[in-house]
Amino acid sequence: MPLLTHDIVTSRPFDKHPLIAYLRKPEASLSFSPADWEQLLRAARLASLSSRVAWLAKQSGLMARLPEKIQFHLNSAIRVADSQALSVRWEVAQIQKALSEAGVALVLLKGAAYIMGQFAAAPGRLLSDIDIMVPKSRLADGERALYGGGWFSTKLDAYDQRYYRKWMHELPPMQHLGRGSTLDVHHTILPPTAKLKPDVSKLWEAASAIKGEPGVLVLSPTDLVLHSATHLFHDGEFDHGLRDLVDIEALLREFGEKEGFWPALVPRAIELDVVRPLFYALRYCAKILIIPVPEAVMRAAADASGAPASGAFLTWMDTLFLAAILPNDAKATNVWVPIAQFLLYLRGHWLRMPLGLLLLHLGRKMLMPKSTEQKPM
């Protein structure tokens, strides 16, 4: 199957950034100057990619060939990731225990799923919270079970509580009383008011148990990719945009080696009504991280999503996404980056709620004091 990489012209800001050069080819770092390493480490830290950078150095056999000071930083980052992975495993065990006592099933999402499922996106993956999905019909039972396990809502503002419970695809964020760990409990992958309408029952049907982790499920390979793509290119949050794109790249490289994955990807996206996010994910993984995407898959994703293959609209979306996904250190030198991120933030809200609700919500957020968030007492 022909591969599509060379016909997507790379963007100069990416070509010039040492972190992007490193993610594309870690061996490029052997010629980095001290200034390049300083920029790379700063950008990686801001993007929550320090441990991923370190793992790539180790996996590529580069660690011993790097400057001693760089080795120190990278070895420290590896220890941080290893420690967090242990913590994630403990937290998941406690979550599963609480929910199993109530007979509530759970699917792990995003970072926790990668770590527990030992997927290619796991090594060096850092996360600030654990995301799970439970059946909507058991949401109240699951919330009560988690209360019993020590997790409590952190959104104490009455408006935020109502917003999450009425309009969103998840409960208000929860935090453990003793450990301080944060938990996001979803009942689907997009808000019910969103323009895209994935059938969550199809995700449950294809989910599978993690070996050695009874009662803990993960999405199927295609659905892992589609959920990650939807999270990045629909929600409008780009603080960790590059990290999330690295996740998608790792999953595509891993699953792309398995027979039947590429031919099934676009049909599954059509079935779940998430083709446009998949198109953008494939395009920018190829454009930024130079992953080989089968030409037929890229073309099918573009055709099914209705996205033009060229023209002013695609040029505009490239301008926005490429700026928003730039390493966060670019904010200090490129005024366009925060503007692009803000425009995509507005786009994300527009995609997930009706115009009237959107105007009321954004107006409330702009005019009212920021919601009070407290650690449970």
Side-chain angles (χ1 to χ4, degrees), residues 148-168:
W151 284 273
F152 293 89
S153 176
T154 62
K155 294 283 185 180
L156 303 182
D157 179 274
Y159 173 84
D160 285 336
Q161 285 282 338
R162 180 175 179 274
Y163 171 74
Y164 272 91
R165 295 178 186 280
K166 184 172 183 179
W167 302 112
M168 293 300 288

Side-chain angles (χ1 to χ4, degrees), residues 284 311-322 336 339-340 343:
Y284 299 119
F313 174 80
L314 192 57
T315 299
W316 172 241
M317 297 311 294
D318 282 351
T319 302
L320 289 176
F321 281 125
L322 292 176
W336 173 241
I339 294 174
L343 291 175

Side-chain angles (χ1 to χ4, degrees), residues 102-260:
V104 178
L106 78 140
V107 170
L108 291 176
L109 301 173
K110 298 193 293 188
Y114 308 150
I115 291 171
M116 297 298 294
Q118 300 182 41
F119 296 112
R125 178 54 153 86
L126 300 179
L127 55 155
S128 58
D129 52 31
I130 292 177
D131 293 83
I132 67 171
M133 183 170 67
V134 303
K136 186 175 182 180
S137 62
R138 303 299 310 281
L139 194 60
D141 296 331
E143 186 174 16
R144 282 193 295 270
L146 291 168
Y147 283 158
W151 284 273
F152 293 89
S153 176
T154 62
K155 294 283 185 180
L156 303 182
D157 179 274
Y159 173 84
D160 285 336
Q161 285 282 338
R162 180 175 179 274
Y163 171 74
Y164 272 91
R165 295 178 186 280
K166 184 172 183 179
W167 302 112
M168 293 300 288
H169 54 305
E170 58 186 322
L171 293 173
M174 305 180 80
Q175 193 171 55
H176 194 272
L177 181 65
R179 297 187 297 274
S181 55
T182 304
L183 175 64
D184 286 342
V185 182
H186 302 248
H187 56 84
T188 185
I189 62 171
L190 284 176
T193 56
K195 290 177 171 58
L196 304 182
K197 305 291 185 184
D199 184 348
V200 70
S201 68
K202 296 181 182 296
L203 297 175
W204 280 97
E205 289 170 3
S208 60
I210 298 176
K211 186 177 180 179
E213 301 291 341
V216 181
L217 306 178
V218 290
L219 299 175
S220 69
T222 52
D223 293 351
L224 277 170
V225 170
L226 294 174
H227 176 242
S228 188
T230 301
H231 172 69
L232 178 56
F233 291 103
H234 189 280
D235 284 1
E237 298 285 349
F238 283 87
D239 287 345
H240 295 106
L242 183 58
R243 183 203 65 183
D244 293 345
L245 196 72
V246 168
D247 287 345
I248 299 170
E249 179 223 12
L251 295 174
L252 288 173
R253 289 189 187 277
E254 177 183 9
F255 301 142
E257 295 180 355
K258 298 181 179 180
E259 185 177 359

